[in-house]
Amino acid sequence: MTLPTADAPFFVVLNPGSGRDDAHETKALIERVLTEAGRAHEVLMCAGTPVPQVAMKAVERACAEGGIVVAAGGDGTINAVVQAVLGRGCALGVLPQGTFNYFGRVHGIPLDTEAATRALLDATVEPVQVGQVNDRVFIVNASVGLYPQLLEDREAYKQRYGRHRLVALWSAVVTLFRAHRPLRMVMRCGGEERNVRTLTLFVGNNPLQLRQIGLPEAPLIGGGRLAAVMLRPVGTLPLLRLLLQGALGRLGEADDVLSFPFEELSARPALPRRRAMVKVAVDGEIIQLRAPLRFAAAPEPLPLLVPRHPQPVA
């Protein structure tokens, strides 16, 4: 890609559904900082319009004017913008607005919107690995089985009780008390094919998230490698213990957890139906993809604006 110029305009995709602050206040803050810096910009709000549609508009404008696309939202919003940006030759900036903000945090981007906006002004462009499942990118993780159900329930609880980590934890506890049918899958990795039974298949691309839950594969992410995590079929109480171990950063010590790094992995239902569709969680968004599912790092890295003085990763 061609590196953006020092005065390249910003095209900000702002999702009003992300974050706790009023979207109009956030928009005004971003515009004030960029105006004071004398930087050309446009903030495109997603109110009433799907994020992917707004993201495509921003990418078209950025490609035509030598600009930079900026995603202002949580990891799901950033994912939609990355999907539009990747392979188009323009760089991406990020203003984290979500609950966990794994993508922004792992790259040292401030969580404070004003600080993150100022950091865009002298940021450097670095190539960043993103994952891919079939034709969909993911920046943090993609999964099938129990984990998508956890996410669906978490979103329902957030709609009722607000976006808070304690709400997310409580919704997970409630979900785990339900009965769960194990997945029966045929998995191919490293030239070997085997049948597996698992409650969930989780594929991670974010070392911060993996490190926080205590998986040894965290430092191996990158260079074309992702990490797979599978849970053996267990009952409710063992599942609750696994949840606690993850919260304490000790999931890698659990006997019922299998994790390993890989470069390419495919998975399909062991009893395939014609044109079988699989529910997949991609960076917190639930989608349907046709089996087999093929996980790998995207062939092209993402050109990401990284702060010249990154925040410590925490």
Side-chain angles (χ1 to χ4, degrees):
M1 64 159 285
T2 302
L3 293 177
T5 61
D7 60 350
F10 291 114
F11 297 93
V12 183
V13 178
L14 174 60
N15 182 5
S18 300
R20 302 178 187 174
D21 298 329
D22 180 83
H24 294 286
E25 292 180 1
T26 300
K27 179 176 183 288
L29 172 61
I30 295 169
E31 291 178 329
R32 175 178 62 79
V33 172
L34 296 180
T35 298
E36 290 175 352
R39 196 67 171 268
H41 64 277
E42 181 180 352
V43 179
L44 294 84
M45 296 278 283
C46 299
T49 306
V51 176
Q53 186 175 329
V54 178
M56 288 302 300
K57 179 181 178 181
V59 169
E60 290 168 3
R61 295 284 305 278
C63 290
E65 302 181 33
I68 297 167
V69 178
V70 178
D75 288 332
T77 300
I78 298 169
N79 172 284
V81 180
V82 170
Q83 184 79 29
V85 166
L86 198 64
R88 295 294 302 275
C90 55
L92 175 75
V94 168
L95 302 176
Q97 303 283 306
T99 303
F100 294 97
N101 298 308
Y102 283 118
F103 185 75
R105 289 161 60 200
V106 82
H107 296 294
I109 299 171
L111 299 183
D112 177 78
T113 301
E114 181 169 353
T117 305
R118 294 189 187 282
L120 292 174
L121 298 170
D122 65 347
T124 60
V125 178
E126 296 184 6
V128 168
Q129 173 177 290
V130 298
Q132 201 164 34
V133 51
N134 294 3
D135 61 347
R136 289 296 302 267
V137 302
F138 58 94
I139 55 175
V140 179
N141 60 60
S143 59
V144 297
L146 176 60
Y147 194 69
Q149 186 61 55
L150 287 168
L151 293 179
E152 285 187 327
D153 292 347
R154 186 182 76 185
E155 190 59 31
Y157 269 72
K158 285 181 178 180
Q159 293 295 327
R160 293 182 62 185
Y161 303 112
R163 293 183 175 274
H164 193 281
R165 296 187 185 188
L166 289 179
V167 173
L169 180 60
W170 176 247
S171 71
V173 171
V174 173
T175 303
L176 295 183
F177 267 101
R178 301 176 187 169
H180 301 285
R181 180 180 299 176
L183 295 172
R184 296 177 180 271
M185 308 186 75
V186 178
M187 184 178 298
R188 174 174 286 274
C189 184
E192 178 184 350
E193 185 173 284
R194 57 175 176 161
N195 291 292
V196 299
R197 292 176 70 247
T198 179
L199 287 175
T200 195
L201 168 62
F202 174 99
V203 176
N205 181 58
N206 187 281
L208 173 61
Q209 184 184 45
L210 297 183
R211 186 169 70 245
Q212 284 192 338
I213 60 178
L215 292 176
E217 287 74 21
L220 303 179
I221 296 293
R225 292 185 302 274
L226 302 171
V229 184
M230 293 192 298
L231 301 184
R232 294 189 175 92
V234 296
T236 298
L237 290 180
L239 270 177
L240 290 173
R241 283 196 293 269
L242 291 175
L243 178 64
L244 178 59
Q245 286 180 280
L248 295 175
R250 298 170 54 186
L251 192 63
E253 302 173 10
D255 294 335
D256 294 316
V257 175
L258 173 65
S259 58
F260 54 92
F262 69 90
E263 293 186 359
E264 294 184 16
L265 182 152
S266 70
R268 60 175 173 81
L271 299 174
R273 301 182 302 275
R274 187 178 180 182
R275 301 173 64 84
M277 302 296 290
V278 181
K279 183 186 293 186
V280 184
V282 177
D283 292 334
E285 304 294 326
I286 309 299
I287 61 174
Q288 296 278 342
L289 293 177
R290 181 166 290 118
L293 303 177
R294 297 181 176 88
F295 299 89
E300 183 174 345
L302 173 71
L304 179 69
L305 266 66
V306 176
R308 194 170 296 276
H309 304 289
Q311 294 286 306
V313 178

